[in-house]
Amino acid sequence: MTRFFKIRQTTLVFSTILTCVIILTKCVNNQPGEIKPTLQKTKFEMFAGSAACASCHKDIYEKHINTEHFLSTAPANEKNILGSFKKGENSFIYNDVSTVTMEKRDSGFYQVHYVNGKEVKKGRFDMVVGSGRKGQSYISTISNHFVQMPVTFFTAENQWSNSPGYPADKVVYNRPVTSRCLECHSTYAEKIPTGNRQIEEFNTAKIIYGIDCEKCHGAGAMHVQFQSENPTSKLAKFIVNPSKLSRQQNLDLCTLCHGGRLNKTRPSFSFQAGDTLLNYFSRDVVQMDASSIDVHGNQAGMLSASKCFQLSQLTCTSCHNTHENEKDKLVLFSQRCLNCHTQGHQKTCKLSASLGASIKQNCIDCHMPKQPSRSIAVYLQGASAPTSVLMRTHLIKPYPEETKKFIDTKSKK
Ligand code: HEC
Ligand code: HEC
Ligand code: HEC
Ligand code: HEC
Ligand code: HEC
Ligand code: HEC
Ligand code: HEC
């Protein structure tokens, strides 16, 4: 394994040199299995799409399509836009004169800006971003350029709201959606070269929506082809299994998107499953310390400040089975804590005796309480302060206040 990755990194450096790519492609073709296909620069054509995985990995496929990862981006349609278009529920009022109304028209769904009742601008819902567990933002396509729309759906309050980070009293239609945004919310999006122009443009026909199989396993067209042509082969040579990576590479895969703000040093979509994050993002931000951590999107930073992480080989997948939607299954998650925290293995909870058998039901509310996110916060209608979504902290430790709350609510029941 280590040898393969050394080869891969060195090769990446030269991968822009066309001849080298051609030679490698030949190698791959001549000796299947000797070198993984991801040695080449990632291209749309190297992906098979998850529908192609379904024939051989049916169980995983069927569970995966219900995950928030899979649902994280999609072309907008009547079903997947979560907010209401009903009269009375379909507006966000900025101030006395300015309103944005969600409307269904013949050519699609729109966010229409009215000033004193007169239409001044509109943007079409072309893509939804967010499964809606917390909320959903919307992208409009203007030729090949993507912009985020002014109004976002906020799930906790079941309301339209001003998009996070947008000015409270101004309707903004021109905030560009970057390739990094799509790198975290989709599997692949192909950029169109725009020369010296700063603006990013995308080939809308070459987007793989959702965080799909091939985001975590690498582009899989060669795997599909090889396994189809060699149906008796039980050896998968052309696909990445994260459980066979080093601990760091395994963590890096999740940290690509769950590491908060990282400064990229290479173009988005260069990183693939099995790569080392530090080759794509600058070191100072990748290695976070406890003082710079936030609950939004930075589970990696939070976790790495926890003793569980520092004093064991814990990874994200010690607790998460990413093929399934396991939202709110706190008993299941608690069992995973108990894989380590049992008598004779790791330290057990100091409250074990007083809590009795019920402790097995829920370690989470006391040790990973929900906390307000600093970065996913929206302005609701007429509010002067933002409302934050609540996120599970991944800084695992005792929280005395939460313990008090937990015991108080238990004793009331
Ligand atoms: C024609 C059948 C077939 C198709 C289609 C297929 N696979 Fe596989 N896959 C296999 C076989 C056979 C194995 C090896 C045996 C096993 O692990 O089940 C395998 C193994 C794997 C593994 C484990 C590799 C390892 O090293 O342990 C992953 C991950 C995987 N496939 C992902 C995918 C993804 C993602 C797709 C769609 C892009 C896909 N497969 C499409 C047949 C297929
Ligand atoms: C391409 C970026 C990306 C990668 C890679 C990624 N995630 Fe995510 N993850 C997201 C985004 C974005 C969401 C929020 C999706 C939504 O609700 O729209 C999410 C949501 C989640 C959730 C909450 C939803 C749930 O299923 O409970 C968990 C847990 C999670 N990711 C774990 C992981 C783990 C573990 C890995 C590594 C094996 C990983 N993610 C890799 C981007 C990513
Ligand atoms: C968010 C990342 C992520 C996504 C998306 C994802 N997987 Fe996986 N997959 C993993 C991880 C991590 C493992 C290793 C699990 C472990 O540690 O045992 C894995 C393991 C596997 C394996 C090896 C056998 C097994 O069951 O563990 C197969 C096959 C597989 N995945 C297929 C798929 C297919 C097919 C899809 C899409 C329908 C998919 N995966 C989507 C992260 C992902
Ligand atoms: C560094 C990766 C990253 C980038 C960049 C990013 N996001 Fe996210 N986003 C996440 C993760 C991870 C989550 C899941 C919640 C969490 O962990 O904070 C999320 C959650 C969301 C949600 C809530 C989804 C839900 O219902 O759970 C929305 C909406 C969203 N992002 C929109 C966007 C938009 C729009 C952009 C770009 C303009 C963007 N994000 C950029 C990683 C990212
Ligand atoms: C892979 C093993 C592993 C898993 C899984 C695990 N932990 Fe830990 N945890 C540890 C180790 C090792 C320590 C450090 C013990 C020591 O100090 O000797 C620790 C420490 C702790 C501490 C004390 C932290 C402090 O700062 O004092 C708490 C609380 C804790 N774990 C709770 C949990 C909870 C809750 C879960 C599940 C959500 C969990 N752990 C899952 C290995 C694990
Ligand atoms: C009612 C809240 C509550 C629940 C439920 C709970 N804990 Fe704790 N836990 C605490 C508190 C508070 C402490 C710190 C006690 C102290 O330092 O006196 C603690 C301490 C710990 C420690 C550190 C022990 C040490 O010797 O330093 C571990 C490990 C731990 N808990 C794991 C767990 C696991 C695993 C579960 C679920 C099976 C769990 N806890 C359930 C509140 C809780
Ligand atoms: C010790 C166990 C444990 C580990 C390790 C762990 N998580 Fe979690 N994670 C949880 C629990 C428990 C929840 C809450 C699940 C729920 O409420 O549905 C959670 C929730 C999440 C969520 C949803 C956050 C929210 O508030 O909605 C994301 C995203 C996530 N984890 C990502 C990750 C990533 C990425 C890693 C690795 C850096 C990771 N987790 C490691 C236990 C763990």
Side-chain angles (χ1 to χ4, degrees), residues 68-69 133-134 251 254-255 258 297-301 303-304 308-309 314-320 326-330 333-334 336-337 364 368 370 390-394 396:
E68 290 163 21
H69 278 146
R133 176 175 184 159
K134 309 204 171 58
L251 285 163
C254 313
T255 308
H258 291 281
N298 191 4
Q299 289 82 12
L303 187 69
S304 62
C308 297
F309 180 88
L314 189 75
T315 64
C316 309
T317 46
S318 309
C319 296
H320 292 289
E326 298 183 325
K327 180 175 181 280
D328 296 333
K329 294 189 177 164
L330 299 188
F333 282 110
S334 302
R336 292 178 185 154
C337 309
I364 314 305
M368 299 182 70
K370 288 185 178 163
L390 294 177
M391 300 282 304
R392 285 277 171 204
T393 179
H394 279 64
I396 306 170

Side-chain angles (χ1 to χ4, degrees), residues 30 32 91 109 118 127 137 150 152 155 162 180 209 227 230 270 273 330 340 353 385 406:
N30 292 347
S91 303
F109 297 88
K118 213 174 140 234
M127 193 195 298
S137 286
T152 283
T155 306
N162 199 10
R180 180 69 177 134
Y209 293 96
Q227 307 303 149
N230 301 276
S270 309
L330 299 188
C340 290
F406 186 91

Side-chain angles (χ1 to χ4, degrees), residues 180-251:
R180 180 69 177 134
C181 173
L182 295 174
E183 179 172 43
C184 287
H185 280 278
S186 73
T187 300
Y188 185 73
E190 193 155 289
K191 267 175 69 168
I192 299 171
T194 49
N196 290 332
R197 284 187 299 133
Q198 283 278 309
I199 200 159
E200 288 191 297
E201 289 185 3
F202 302 89
N203 183 339
T204 49
K206 292 187 174 179
I207 296 177
I208 301 170
Y209 293 96
I211 298 158
D212 215 339
C213 317
E214 291 166 289
K215 192 78 189 197
C216 298
H217 295 296
M222 289 236 359
H223 171 66
V224 170
Q225 193 190 341
F226 180 82
Q227 307 303 149
S228 304
E229 288 170 359
N230 301 276
T232 52
S233 172
K234 289 279 161 250
L235 200 59
K237 300 163 181 168
F238 295 104
I239 199 88
V240 178
N241 183 341
S243 71
K244 295 179 182 170
L245 299 172
S246 72
R247 184 192 189 204
Q248 192 57 52
Q249 285 162 335
N250 188 333
L251 285 163

